[in-house]
Amino acid sequence: ETGVTQSPTHLIKTRGQQVTLRCSSQSGHNTVSWYQQALGQGPQFIFQYYREEENGRGNFPPRFSGLQFPNYSSELNVNALELDDSALYLCASGGEETQYFGPGTRLLVL
Amino acid sequence: AQSVTQLGSHVSVSEGALVLLRCNYSSSVPPYLFWYVQYPNQGLQLLLKYTSAATLVKGINGFEAEFKKSETSFHLTKPSAHMSDAAEYFCAVTDSGAGSYQLTFGKGTKLSVIP
């Protein structure tokens, strides 16, 4: 049990739609990161938030955006969905020495 | 830029045999290194981490890993495999003191345990 929860667990969307994924992280962990894990691959870093500000971004286009709230929860928003966005989206909270991952949201884009 | 290479996308061992999963990293600064395990349809669970203290790191479920700077390696071992160890294992690296705690992952090694 990592104390990190994500919702929903599964989601099906069609190309061009928008999606919002949610994450609730442990109290006291003011850093949250999002990762995309395509089938058969390792997770890829999307971005990180620290105290509600974006604090690092991977090689993902601007249609991937996020928010972090004062209660340590976070959102990942993806606009104009593409087929290649189908993946497991993982949220992680913590810091430099340890990041705890949630169970993920599996997104399927048709 | 950091990178992680995991040799062998799939490793099979017999129950009771030694488990050895290989990880080599590239980093321009002293790294922090991690091993995570992922069971089917689940998120990532931290097995162990190296953060510049002891080079031999012990983790959960009997796993350990040794940081070898000269070889830029952080291989994961377990003396005796159990059926419950069957899962996918990911090695990851982050730059110590970089401010952004971005993890760079390898592509993973799927471990099968044969009865």
Side-chain angles (χ1 to χ4, degrees), chain A residues 31 35 37 40-43 45 48 55-56 88 90 94-99 101-103 106, chain B residues 32 34 36 38 42-44 46 49 51 90 95-103 105-107:
Chain A
T31 298
Y35 292 80
Q37 186 180 16
Q41 301 295 317
F45 176 73
Q48 179 181 94
N55 184 39
L88 179 68
L90 296 163
E96 181 176 53
E97 292 198 5
T98 305
Q99 290 195 40
F101 283 80
R106 189 164 297 280
Chain B
Y32 287 170
F34 307 83
Y36 285 88
Q38 186 175 38
Q42 294 188 25
L44 300 174
L46 180 67
K49 61 182 179 181
T51 56
F90 293 94
D95 283 343
S96 60
S100 170
Y101 310 143
Q102 171 183 342
L103 287 169
F105 285 87
K107 292 187 175 181

mmCIF file of all heavy atoms in Angstrom, chain A residues 31 35 37 40-43 45 48 55-56 88 90 94-99 101-103 106, chain B residues 32 34 36 38 42-44 46 49 51 90 95-103 105-107:
data_model
loop_
_atom_site.group_PDB
_atom_site.id
_atom_site.type_symbol
_atom_site.label_atom_id
_atom_site.label_comp_id
_atom_site.label_asym_id
_atom_site.label_seq_id
_atom_site.Cartn_x
_atom_site.Cartn_y
_atom_site.Cartn_z
ATOM 1 N N THR A 31 5.539 16.694 -3.980
ATOM 2 C CA THR A 31 5.923 16.489 -5.364
ATOM 3 C C THR A 31 5.091 15.361 -5.958
ATOM 4 O O THR A 31 4.960 14.301 -5.339
ATOM 5 C CB THR A 31 7.411 16.125 -5.472
ATOM 6 O OG1 THR A 31 8.193 17.192 -4.972
ATOM 7 C CG2 THR A 31 7.798 15.865 -6.913
ATOM 8 N N TYR A 35 3.637 9.555 -15.334
ATOM 9 C CA TYR A 35 4.376 8.755 -16.296
ATOM 10 C C TYR A 35 3.390 8.056 -17.236
ATOM 11 O O TYR A 35 2.281 7.692 -16.831
ATOM 12 C CB TYR A 35 5.214 7.683 -15.588
ATOM 13 C CG TYR A 35 6.360 8.244 -14.779
ATOM 14 C CD1 TYR A 35 6.146 8.766 -13.506
ATOM 15 C CD2 TYR A 35 7.652 8.235 -15.278
ATOM 16 C CE1 TYR A 35 7.203 9.290 -12.768
ATOM 17 C CE2 TYR A 35 8.715 8.742 -14.540
ATOM 18 C CZ TYR A 35 8.482 9.266 -13.288
ATOM 19 O OH TYR A 35 9.526 9.778 -12.560
ATOM 20 N N GLN A 37 3.084 4.632 -19.581
ATOM 21 C CA GLN A 37 3.686 3.339 -19.857
ATOM 22 C C GLN A 37 2.925 2.657 -20.991
ATOM 23 O O GLN A 37 1.826 2.146 -20.784
ATOM 24 C CB GLN A 37 3.691 2.458 -18.607
ATOM 25 C CG GLN A 37 4.437 1.149 -18.818
ATOM 26 C CD GLN A 37 4.454 0.258 -17.583
ATOM 27 O OE1 GLN A 37 3.686 0.446 -16.646
ATOM 28 N NE2 GLN A 37 5.355 -0.704 -17.564
ATOM 29 N N GLY A 40 4.338 -3.054 -23.066
ATOM 30 C CA GLY A 40 5.649 -3.649 -23.295
ATOM 31 C C GLY A 40 6.830 -2.719 -23.128
ATOM 32 O O GLY A 40 7.958 -3.082 -23.479
ATOM 33 N N GLN A 41 6.589 -1.528 -22.598
ATOM 34 C CA GLN A 41 7.662 -0.544 -22.432
ATOM 35 C C GLN A 41 7.811 -0.144 -20.970
ATOM 36 O O GLN A 41 6.941 -0.416 -20.147
ATOM 37 C CB GLN A 41 7.357 0.708 -23.266
ATOM 38 C CG GLN A 41 7.212 0.459 -24.751
ATOM 39 C CD GLN A 41 8.512 -0.001 -25.382
ATOM 40 O OE1 GLN A 41 9.586 0.536 -25.080
ATOM 41 N NE2 GLN A 41 8.442 -0.991 -26.246
ATOM 42 N N GLY A 42 8.931 0.531 -20.681
ATOM 43 C CA GLY A 42 9.080 1.120 -19.364
ATOM 44 C C GLY A 42 8.342 2.443 -19.291
ATOM 45 O O GLY A 42 8.032 3.049 -20.326
ATOM 46 N N PRO A 43 8.028 2.913 -18.098
ATOM 47 C CA PRO A 43 7.350 4.209 -17.959
ATOM 48 C C PRO A 43 8.196 5.352 -18.506
ATOM 49 O O PRO A 43 9.421 5.347 -18.372
ATOM 50 C CB PRO A 43 7.168 4.339 -16.453
ATOM 51 C CG PRO A 43 7.234 2.933 -15.923
ATOM 52 C CD PRO A 43 8.202 2.235 -16.809
ATOM 53 N N PHE A 45 8.571 9.567 -18.445
ATOM 54 C CA PHE A 45 8.246 10.749 -17.635
ATOM 55 C C PHE A 45 7.492 11.768 -18.467
ATOM 56 O O PHE A 45 7.957 12.179 -19.529
ATOM 57 C CB PHE A 45 9.559 11.342 -17.105
ATOM 58 C CG PHE A 45 9.424 12.618 -16.335
ATOM 59 C CD1 PHE A 45 8.903 12.624 -15.057
ATOM 60 C CD2 PHE A 45 9.852 13.816 -16.885
ATOM 61 C CE1 PHE A 45 8.804 13.811 -14.333
ATOM 62 C CE2 PHE A 45 9.766 15.001 -16.177
ATOM 63 C CZ PHE A 45 9.240 14.996 -14.898
ATOM 64 N N GLN A 48 6.330 16.821 -13.850
ATOM 65 C CA GLN A 48 6.335 16.788 -12.395
ATOM 66 C C GLN A 48 5.842 18.117 -11.857
ATOM 67 O O GLN A 48 6.118 19.170 -12.444
ATOM 68 C CB GLN A 48 7.752 16.539 -11.907
ATOM 69 C CG GLN A 48 7.930 16.496 -10.407
ATOM 70 C CD GLN A 48 9.380 16.269 -10.059
ATOM 71 O OE1 GLN A 48 10.136 17.205 -9.837
ATOM 72 N NE2 GLN A 48 9.777 15.013 -10.026
ATOM 73 N N ASN A 55 7.536 21.503 -12.538
ATOM 74 C CA ASN A 55 8.935 21.519 -12.125
ATOM 75 C C ASN A 55 9.774 20.569 -12.961
ATOM 76 O O ASN A 55 10.757 20.026 -12.491
ATOM 77 C CB ASN A 55 9.028 21.133 -10.639
ATOM 78 C CG ASN A 55 10.436 21.228 -10.097
ATOM 79 O OD1 ASN A 55 11.169 22.143 -10.439
ATOM 80 N ND2 ASN A 55 10.836 20.265 -9.286
ATOM 81 N N GLY A 56 9.410 20.352 -14.165
ATOM 82 C CA GLY A 56 10.140 19.431 -15.029
ATOM 83 C C GLY A 56 9.177 18.790 -15.990
ATOM 84 O O GLY A 56 8.032 18.484 -15.616
ATOM 85 N N LEU A 88 -0.908 2.869 -20.019
ATOM 86 C CA LEU A 88 -1.153 2.930 -18.578
ATOM 87 C C LEU A 88 -0.529 4.232 -18.079
ATOM 88 O O LEU A 88 0.655 4.496 -18.340
ATOM 89 C CB LEU A 88 -0.517 1.736 -17.877
ATOM 90 C CG LEU A 88 -0.663 1.655 -16.353
ATOM 91 C CD1 LEU A 88 -2.123 1.403 -15.963
ATOM 92 C CD2 LEU A 88 0.227 0.553 -15.788
ATOM 93 N N LEU A 90 0.611 6.432 -14.942
ATOM 94 C CA LEU A 90 0.990 6.241 -13.549
ATOM 95 C C LEU A 90 1.281 7.580 -12.887
ATOM 96 O O LEU A 90 1.957 8.436 -13.462
ATOM 97 C CB LEU A 90 2.238 5.355 -13.470
ATOM 98 C CG LEU A 90 2.079 3.933 -13.985
ATOM 99 C CD1 LEU A 90 3.437 3.302 -14.242
ATOM 100 C CD2 LEU A 90 1.295 3.091 -12.990
ATOM 101 N N GLY A 94 6.240 11.740 -3.860
ATOM 102 C CA GLY A 94 7.429 11.532 -3.048
ATOM 103 C C GLY A 94 8.486 12.531 -3.413
ATOM 104 O O GLY A 94 8.185 13.666 -3.766
ATOM 105 N N GLY A 95 9.743 12.120 -3.333
ATOM 106 C CA GLY A 95 10.825 13.052 -3.603
ATOM 107 C C GLY A 95 11.992 12.368 -4.258
ATOM 108 O O GLY A 95 11.843 11.337 -4.905
ATOM 109 N N GLU A 96 13.142 12.938 -4.051
ATOM 110 C CA GLU A 96 14.348 12.484 -4.735
ATOM 111 C C GLU A 96 14.700 11.045 -4.396
ATOM 112 O O GLU A 96 15.097 10.265 -5.255
ATOM 113 C CB GLU A 96 15.494 13.408 -4.351
ATOM 114 C CG GLU A 96 16.819 13.106 -4.987
ATOM 115 C CD GLU A 96 17.837 14.149 -4.590
ATOM 116 O OE1 GLU A 96 17.997 14.380 -3.378
ATOM 117 O OE2 GLU A 96 18.457 14.742 -5.483
ATOM 118 N N GLU A 97 14.571 10.696 -3.118
ATOM 119 C CA GLU A 97 15.057 9.382 -2.719
ATOM 120 C C GLU A 97 14.031 8.280 -2.877
ATOM 121 O O GLU A 97 14.396 7.121 -2.998
ATOM 122 C CB GLU A 97 15.550 9.437 -1.277
ATOM 123 C CG GLU A 97 16.797 10.285 -1.106
ATOM 124 C CD GLU A 97 17.528 9.992 0.184
ATOM 125 O OE1 GLU A 97 17.124 9.061 0.903
ATOM 126 O OE2 GLU A 97 18.511 10.704 0.476
ATOM 127 N N THR A 98 12.769 8.615 -2.883
ATOM 128 C CA THR A 98 11.754 7.582 -3.046
ATOM 129 C C THR A 98 10.519 8.172 -3.694
ATOM 130 O O THR A 98 10.050 9.229 -3.264
ATOM 131 C CB THR A 98 11.341 6.979 -1.689
ATOM 132 O OG1 THR A 98 12.508 6.512 -1.021
ATOM 133 C CG2 THR A 98 10.395 5.805 -1.884
ATOM 134 N N GLN A 99 10.034 7.510 -4.720
ATOM 135 C CA GLN A 99 8.753 7.873 -5.314
ATOM 136 C C GLN A 99 7.827 6.671 -5.223
ATOM 137 O O GLN A 99 8.211 5.559 -5.569
ATOM 138 C CB GLN A 99 8.924 8.311 -6.763
ATOM 139 C CG GLN A 99 9.623 9.652 -6.886
ATOM 140 C CD GLN A 99 9.474 10.265 -8.250
ATOM 141 O OE1 GLN A 99 8.416 10.211 -8.858
ATOM 142 N NE2 GLN A 99 10.552 10.856 -8.744
ATOM 143 N N PHE A 101 4.341 4.862 -6.323
ATOM 144 C CA PHE A 101 3.454 4.856 -7.483
ATOM 145 C C PHE A 101 2.054 4.379 -7.119
ATOM 146 O O PHE A 101 1.878 3.493 -6.279
ATOM 147 C CB PHE A 101 4.014 3.950 -8.578
ATOM 148 C CG PHE A 101 5.140 4.566 -9.350
ATOM 149 C CD1 PHE A 101 6.430 4.573 -8.839
ATOM 150 C CD2 PHE A 101 4.911 5.158 -10.578
ATOM 151 C CE1 PHE A 101 7.476 5.157 -9.547
ATOM 152 C CE2 PHE A 101 5.943 5.746 -11.293
ATOM 153 C CZ PHE A 101 7.226 5.745 -10.770
ATOM 154 N N GLY A 102 1.085 4.951 -7.803
ATOM 155 C CA GLY A 102 -0.277 4.473 -7.718
ATOM 156 C C GLY A 102 -0.486 3.297 -8.648
ATOM 157 O O GLY A 102 0.420 2.912 -9.399
ATOM 158 N N PRO A 103 -1.699 2.730 -8.636
ATOM 159 C CA PRO A 103 -1.984 1.540 -9.460
ATOM 160 C C PRO A 103 -2.159 1.842 -10.937
ATOM 161 O O PRO A 103 -2.132 0.939 -11.763
ATOM 162 C CB PRO A 103 -3.282 1.010 -8.854
ATOM 163 C CG PRO A 103 -3.917 2.213 -8.251
ATOM 164 C CD PRO A 103 -2.813 3.095 -7.769
ATOM 165 N N ARG A 106 -5.647 2.816 -16.906
ATOM 166 C CA ARG A 106 -5.419 2.282 -18.256
ATOM 167 C C ARG A 106 -6.360 2.970 -19.222
ATOM 168 O O ARG A 106 -7.580 2.865 -19.084
ATOM 169 C CB ARG A 106 -5.624 0.771 -18.292
ATOM 170 C CG ARG A 106 -5.182 0.166 -19.622
ATOM 171 C CD ARG A 106 -5.004 -1.331 -19.549
ATOM 172 N NE ARG A 106 -3.962 -1.762 -18.632
ATOM 173 C CZ ARG A 106 -2.659 -1.757 -18.901
ATOM 174 N NH1 ARG A 106 -2.225 -1.329 -20.070
ATOM 175 N NH2 ARG A 106 -1.797 -2.201 -18.008
ATOM 176 N N TYR B 32 21.079 8.300 -8.320
ATOM 177 C CA TYR B 32 20.312 7.467 -7.433
ATOM 178 C C TYR B 32 19.717 6.369 -8.326
ATOM 179 O O TYR B 32 19.261 6.648 -9.435
ATOM 180 C CB TYR B 32 19.185 8.248 -6.753
ATOM 181 C CG TYR B 32 19.637 9.208 -5.682
ATOM 182 C CD1 TYR B 32 18.748 10.123 -5.122
ATOM 183 C CD2 TYR B 32 20.942 9.229 -5.205
ATOM 184 C CE1 TYR B 32 19.135 11.014 -4.131
ATOM 185 C CE2 TYR B 32 21.347 10.111 -4.216
ATOM 186 C CZ TYR B 32 20.439 10.998 -3.690
ATOM 187 O OH TYR B 32 20.831 11.885 -2.714
ATOM 188 N N PHE B 34 17.279 2.690 -8.666
ATOM 189 C CA PHE B 34 16.107 2.032 -8.103
ATOM 190 C C PHE B 34 15.787 0.768 -8.901
ATOM 191 O O PHE B 34 16.037 0.694 -10.101
ATOM 192 C CB PHE B 34 14.878 2.951 -8.166
ATOM 193 C CG PHE B 34 15.086 4.309 -7.560
ATOM 194 C CD1 PHE B 34 15.687 5.318 -8.290
ATOM 195 C CD2 PHE B 34 14.687 4.571 -6.264
ATOM 196 C CE1 PHE B 34 15.890 6.582 -7.733
ATOM 197 C CE2 PHE B 34 14.880 5.823 -5.700
ATOM 198 C CZ PHE B 34 15.490 6.830 -6.435
ATOM 199 N N TYR B 36 12.182 -1.407 -9.401
ATOM 200 C CA TYR B 36 10.751 -1.518 -9.151
ATOM 201 C C TYR B 36 10.256 -2.841 -9.733
ATOM 202 O O TYR B 36 10.787 -3.335 -10.731
ATOM 203 C CB TYR B 36 9.981 -0.374 -9.820
ATOM 204 C CG TYR B 36 10.085 0.965 -9.133
ATOM 205 C CD1 TYR B 36 11.128 1.843 -9.430
ATOM 206 C CD2 TYR B 36 9.130 1.366 -8.197
ATOM 207 C CE1 TYR B 36 11.207 3.083 -8.804
ATOM 208 C CE2 TYR B 36 9.208 2.601 -7.577
ATOM 209 C CZ TYR B 36 10.249 3.445 -7.885
ATOM 210 O OH TYR B 36 10.325 4.676 -7.264
ATOM 211 N N GLN B 38 6.650 -4.836 -11.098
ATOM 212 C CA GLN B 38 5.272 -4.614 -11.538
ATOM 213 C C GLN B 38 4.605 -5.963 -11.799
ATOM 214 O O GLN B 38 5.038 -6.717 -12.675
ATOM 215 C CB GLN B 38 5.246 -3.761 -12.809
ATOM 216 C CG GLN B 38 3.844 -3.357 -13.239
ATOM 217 C CD GLN B 38 3.868 -2.408 -14.433
ATOM 218 O OE1 GLN B 38 4.683 -2.539 -15.346
ATOM 219 N NE2 GLN B 38 2.983 -1.422 -14.425
ATOM 220 N N GLN B 42 -0.988 -4.025 -12.493
ATOM 221 C CA GLN B 42 -0.780 -3.237 -11.278
ATOM 222 C C GLN B 42 0.231 -2.118 -11.539
ATOM 223 O O GLN B 42 0.862 -2.060 -12.589
ATOM 224 C CB GLN B 42 -0.298 -4.131 -10.133
ATOM 225 C CG GLN B 42 -1.339 -5.148 -9.672
ATOM 226 C CD GLN B 42 -0.907 -5.871 -8.412
ATOM 227 O OE1 GLN B 42 -0.107 -5.372 -7.623
ATOM 228 N NE2 GLN B 42 -1.445 -7.065 -8.210
ATOM 229 N N GLY B 43 0.377 -1.248 -10.547
ATOM 230 C CA GLY B 43 1.378 -0.179 -10.623
ATOM 231 C C GLY B 43 2.749 -0.705 -10.238
ATOM 232 O O GLY B 43 2.987 -1.910 -10.179
ATOM 233 N N LEU B 44 3.664 0.206 -9.973
ATOM 234 C CA LEU B 44 5.043 -0.141 -9.645
ATOM 235 C C LEU B 44 5.254 -0.147 -8.143
ATOM 236 O O LEU B 44 4.830 0.764 -7.442
ATOM 237 C CB LEU B 44 6.002 0.873 -10.276
ATOM 238 C CG LEU B 44 5.955 1.003 -11.790
ATOM 239 C CD1 LEU B 44 6.855 2.140 -12.241
ATOM 240 C CD2 LEU B 44 6.383 -0.295 -12.437
ATOM 241 N N LEU B 46 8.253 -0.325 -5.196
ATOM 242 C CA LEU B 46 9.682 -0.154 -4.980
ATOM 243 C C LEU B 46 10.266 -1.381 -4.293
ATOM 244 O O LEU B 46 9.811 -1.781 -3.229
ATOM 245 C CB LEU B 46 9.932 1.089 -4.136
ATOM 246 C CG LEU B 46 11.392 1.406 -3.822
ATOM 247 C CD1 LEU B 46 12.149 1.789 -5.095
ATOM 248 C CD2 LEU B 46 11.493 2.532 -2.795
ATOM 249 N N LYS B 49 16.565 0.704 -3.293
ATOM 250 C CA LYS B 49 17.132 1.922 -3.854
ATOM 251 C C LYS B 49 18.561 2.112 -3.379
ATOM 252 O O LYS B 49 18.940 1.704 -2.276
ATOM 253 C CB LYS B 49 16.293 3.134 -3.453
ATOM 254 C CG LYS B 49 16.230 3.360 -1.949
ATOM 255 C CD LYS B 49 15.335 4.545 -1.589
ATOM 256 C CE LYS B 49 15.281 4.726 -0.067
ATOM 257 N NZ LYS B 49 14.400 5.843 0.333
ATOM 258 N N THR B 51 21.145 5.288 -2.763
ATOM 259 C CA THR B 51 21.202 6.749 -2.703
ATOM 260 C C THR B 51 22.522 7.212 -2.101
ATOM 261 O O THR B 51 22.553 8.099 -1.248
ATOM 262 C CB THR B 51 20.022 7.309 -1.905
ATOM 263 O OG1 THR B 51 20.016 6.707 -0.604
ATOM 264 C CG2 THR B 51 18.703 7.027 -2.586
ATOM 265 N N PHE B 90 11.772 -3.357 -13.330
ATOM 266 C CA PHE B 90 12.282 -2.155 -13.982
ATOM 267 C C PHE B 90 13.391 -1.531 -13.146
ATOM 268 O O PHE B 90 13.232 -1.316 -11.943
ATOM 269 C CB PHE B 90 11.167 -1.120 -14.179
ATOM 270 C CG PHE B 90 10.106 -1.544 -15.151
ATOM 271 C CD1 PHE B 90 8.947 -2.169 -14.711
ATOM 272 C CD2 PHE B 90 10.269 -1.318 -16.507
ATOM 273 C CE1 PHE B 90 7.968 -2.559 -15.603
ATOM 274 C CE2 PHE B 90 9.297 -1.703 -17.412
ATOM 275 C CZ PHE B 90 8.151 -2.339 -16.961
ATOM 276 N N ASP B 95 19.072 11.746 -11.318
ATOM 277 C CA ASP B 95 20.246 12.506 -10.929
ATOM 278 C C ASP B 95 20.083 12.987 -9.500
ATOM 279 O O ASP B 95 19.087 13.627 -9.166
ATOM 280 C CB ASP B 95 20.438 13.720 -11.838
ATOM 281 C CG ASP B 95 21.008 13.338 -13.186
ATOM 282 O OD1 ASP B 95 21.543 12.224 -13.299
ATOM 283 O OD2 ASP B 95 20.900 14.153 -14.106
ATOM 284 N N SER B 96 21.071 12.731 -8.661
ATOM 285 C CA SER B 96 21.001 13.208 -7.287
ATOM 286 C C SER B 96 21.155 14.720 -7.271
ATOM 287 O O SER B 96 21.990 15.277 -7.977
ATOM 288 C CB SER B 96 22.089 12.554 -6.443
ATOM 289 O OG SER B 96 23.367 12.863 -6.969
ATOM 290 N N GLY B 97 20.330 15.393 -6.509
ATOM 291 C CA GLY B 97 20.461 16.830 -6.343
ATOM 292 C C GLY B 97 20.045 17.663 -7.530
ATOM 293 O O GLY B 97 20.354 18.847 -7.586
ATOM 294 N N ALA B 98 19.326 17.073 -8.460
ATOM 295 C CA ALA B 98 18.972 17.817 -9.678
ATOM 296 C C ALA B 98 17.776 18.720 -9.473
ATOM 297 O O ALA B 98 17.510 19.592 -10.286
ATOM 298 C CB ALA B 98 18.702 16.850 -10.816
ATOM 299 N N GLY B 99 17.025 18.513 -8.403
ATOM 300 C CA GLY B 99 15.853 19.351 -8.170
ATOM 301 C C GLY B 99 14.594 18.774 -8.755
ATOM 302 O O GLY B 99 13.533 18.851 -8.159
ATOM 303 N N SER B 100 14.685 18.218 -9.936
ATOM 304 C CA SER B 100 13.545 17.525 -10.536
ATOM 305 C C SER B 100 13.769 16.040 -10.367
ATOM 306 O O SER B 100 14.816 15.533 -10.731
ATOM 307 C CB SER B 100 13.427 17.873 -12.014
ATOM 308 O OG SER B 100 12.486 17.034 -12.647
ATOM 309 N N TYR B 101 12.809 15.342 -9.801
ATOM 310 C CA TYR B 101 13.022 13.949 -9.448
ATOM 311 C C TYR B 101 12.588 13.015 -10.562
ATOM 312 O O TYR B 101 12.001 11.976 -10.321
ATOM 313 C CB TYR B 101 12.274 13.636 -8.156
ATOM 314 C CG TYR B 101 12.554 14.627 -7.053
ATOM 315 C CD1 TYR B 101 11.557 15.012 -6.175
ATOM 316 C CD2 TYR B 101 13.815 15.190 -6.896
ATOM 317 C CE1 TYR B 101 11.802 15.914 -5.173
ATOM 318 C CE2 TYR B 101 14.074 16.108 -5.898
ATOM 319 C CZ TYR B 101 13.070 16.467 -5.032
ATOM 320 O OH TYR B 101 13.302 17.372 -4.039
ATOM 321 N N GLN B 102 12.905 13.386 -11.788
ATOM 322 C CA GLN B 102 12.518 12.597 -12.937
ATOM 323 C C GLN B 102 13.232 11.257 -12.925
ATOM 324 O O GLN B 102 14.462 11.198 -12.835
ATOM 325 C CB GLN B 102 12.882 13.349 -14.218
ATOM 326 C CG GLN B 102 12.732 12.559 -15.486
ATOM 327 C CD GLN B 102 13.177 13.342 -16.696
ATOM 328 O OE1 GLN B 102 13.286 14.560 -16.645
ATOM 329 N NE2 GLN B 102 13.424 12.638 -17.797
ATOM 330 N N LEU B 103 12.458 10.177 -13.023
ATOM 331 C CA LEU B 103 13.015 8.845 -13.132
ATOM 332 C C LEU B 103 13.114 8.462 -14.607
ATOM 333 O O LEU B 103 12.156 8.646 -15.354
ATOM 334 C CB LEU B 103 12.131 7.830 -12.403
ATOM 335 C CG LEU B 103 12.145 7.851 -10.879
ATOM 336 C CD1 LEU B 103 11.035 6.975 -10.329
ATOM 337 C CD2 LEU B 103 13.487 7.398 -10.340
ATOM 338 N N PHE B 105 13.564 5.161 -16.822
ATOM 339 C CA PHE B 105 13.418 3.720 -16.662
ATOM 340 C C PHE B 105 14.046 2.954 -17.819
ATOM 341 O O PHE B 105 14.116 3.449 -18.960
ATOM 342 C CB PHE B 105 11.929 3.343 -16.611
ATOM 343 C CG PHE B 105 11.245 3.665 -15.317
ATOM 344 C CD1 PHE B 105 10.688 4.918 -15.106
ATOM 345 C CD2 PHE B 105 11.145 2.718 -14.312
ATOM 346 C CE1 PHE B 105 10.055 5.226 -13.913
ATOM 347 C CE2 PHE B 105 10.499 3.011 -13.117
ATOM 348 C CZ PHE B 105 9.953 4.260 -12.918
ATOM 349 N N GLY B 106 14.459 1.720 -17.519
ATOM 350 C CA GLY B 106 14.788 0.782 -18.580
ATOM 351 C C GLY B 106 13.514 0.207 -19.160
ATOM 352 O O GLY B 106 12.407 0.502 -18.692
ATOM 353 N N LYS B 107 13.678 -0.656 -20.166
ATOM 354 C CA LYS B 107 12.513 -1.212 -20.848
ATOM 355 C C LYS B 107 11.893 -2.383 -20.097
ATOM 356 O O LYS B 107 10.832 -2.865 -20.489
ATOM 357 C CB LYS B 107 12.896 -1.639 -22.262
ATOM 358 C CG LYS B 107 13.226 -0.459 -23.151
ATOM 359 C CD LYS B 107 13.444 -0.885 -24.588
ATOM 360 C CE LYS B 107 13.660 0.339 -25.482
ATOM 361 N NZ LYS B 107 13.847 -0.023 -26.899
#
